[in-house]
Amino acid sequence: MACTPWFCVGMGWLPISLGIMISATFVISYSISVGLQHVPAEFPYISDTGTYHPESCIFGQLLNISAALAFMTIYVRYKQVEEYNREASTQVIKVNKVSLVLGGLACLGMSMVANFQEKSILFMHLVGAFMCFALGVTYTFIQTWLSFQLRECSDMWGNIHTCRIRMTLCITSLLGLIFTSIFAGLANMKWTGTDPTKWSPDEGGFAEHIVSTVSEWVLAISFLLFFFTYIREFQKVTIEAHLRLYTEDLEPINYPEV
């Protein structure tokens, strides 16, 4: 019997692929934007690294792929909880559906951030960022709650350490969201410059700006690590597609499922 690499077992490859794609998005766009002196090297906002050409094209393309992978991950998680807990309480079933909706909207927000750069349509960019971060944080808290609830029903849902790690990442991401929002507002009140993507220390509000940008990076990394906690549980499931044939009158053909 052939030996399967650990990262290819079950659906474990999915959150791994998501992590690789998001990391590539950040690293490539940051390297190009800093190399071309479009943004300063000292902790720019993530979206600032995808504002100017040519990095905006790469940033948008890779982030759209990341959004698709994120939704796939969220959907597999939803089906996993649903499949293994058909007799779970009504509350767990409803909360699982809510997490799917919120996670899907967060992924839509990520795609909006990719497609509406801040220099083009700032309002839509901010709406997308809010959806991605705020709804994303809510999604992580819901999934952490589900992890604690499901662990009481079955040992297959990992150990208590995984649940605690998820809770830590949830709290970290929430703090990152709060600090990013508050200090961004404080920085903008003091700012006297003309280009927010090239914020310099002599333009006012620079310290608050750095706190805000660092908090955004912490928030994004917390999301990334949260999805990595799915790897072990995803290795225990697979997903198959079944094809059912129909006649021209849309009547099912009684063939075995393919």
Side-chain angles (χ1 to χ4, degrees):
M1 182 176 179
C3 180
T4 304
W6 71 271
F7 53 84
C8 294
V9 176
M11 298 295 295
W13 59 269
L14 187 53
I16 295 175
S17 300
L18 172 61
I20 293 174
M21 184 58 64
I22 292 181
S23 299
T25 303
F26 293 165
V27 171
I28 293 175
S29 60
Y30 174 85
S31 300
I32 295 177
S33 60
V34 171
L36 295 177
Q37 298 183 348
H38 290 165
V39 296
E42 298 82 8
F43 293 104
Y45 282 115
I46 295 174
S47 55
D48 285 352
T49 65
T51 298
Y52 300 99
H53 298 295
E55 61 268 22
S56 63
C57 304
I58 300 173
F59 179 83
Q61 181 65 53
L62 295 183
L63 199 59
N64 277 320
I65 296 174
S66 299
L69 289 173
F71 181 74
M72 291 170 60
T73 303
I74 289 169
Y75 180 75
V76 170
R77 177 65 175 180
Y78 163 77
K79 294 299 293 183
Q80 183 186 33
V81 173
E82 180 186 60
E83 183 67 25
Y84 282 93
N85 297 275
R86 293 185 178 276
E87 299 181 358
S89 66
T90 304
Q91 184 182 25
V92 169
I93 296 174
K94 290 182 178 179
V95 170
N96 189 39
K97 292 180 179 179
V98 171
S99 72
L100 174 65
V101 174
L102 293 179
L105 290 175
C107 294
L108 176 61
M110 186 188 301
S111 181
M112 291 173 62
V113 169
N115 297 318
F116 297 95
Q117 281 84 27
E118 58 181 292
K119 285 288 188 178
S120 300
I121 308 178
L122 179 60
F123 175 76
M124 293 302 298
H125 180 85
L126 294 177
V127 170
F130 173 81
M131 292 172 60
C132 178
F133 290 141
L135 298 183
V137 168
T138 306
Y139 169 82
T140 61
F141 271 100
I142 291 176
Q143 282 298 322
T144 300
W145 180 84
L146 285 172
S147 298
F148 280 104
Q149 294 295 314
L150 297 173
R151 184 180 174 275
E152 298 177 358
C153 302
S154 174
D155 293 336
M156 72 158 291
W157 292 105
N159 52 48
I160 190 64
H161 299 295
T162 301
C163 298
R164 289 171 178 170
I165 289 173
R166 287 174 181 163
M167 178 57 71
T168 301
L169 292 172
C170 287
I171 295 173
T172 302
S173 63
L174 176 60
L175 292 176
L177 176 62
I178 293 173
F179 275 74
T180 298
S181 303
I182 292 177
F183 282 91
L186 294 175
N188 286 324
M189 291 173 58
K190 299 179 179 180
W191 181 53
T192 58
T194 57
D195 187 353
T197 63
K198 296 181 175 64
W199 206 306
S200 60
D202 58 347
E203 291 179 347
F206 183 75
E208 292 84 352
H209 171 71
I210 291 298
V211 173
S212 178
T213 57
V214 170
S215 298
E216 186 189 47
W217 282 96
V218 170
L219 171 58
I221 294 172
S222 297
F223 278 161
L224 184 61
L225 295 177
F226 186 90
F227 281 110
F228 277 164
T229 66
Y230 285 166
I231 294 175
R232 182 58 181 165
E233 292 170 1
F234 273 34
Q235 289 177 331
K236 302 175 183 178
V237 298
T238 58
I239 290 183
E240 297 178 354
H242 294 276
L243 179 65
R244 187 178 297 277
L245 303 178
Y246 288 80
T247 65
E248 293 184 358
D249 298 326
L250 300 181
E251 295 292 333
I253 299 177
N254 295 323
Y255 291 157
E257 292 185 350
V258 179

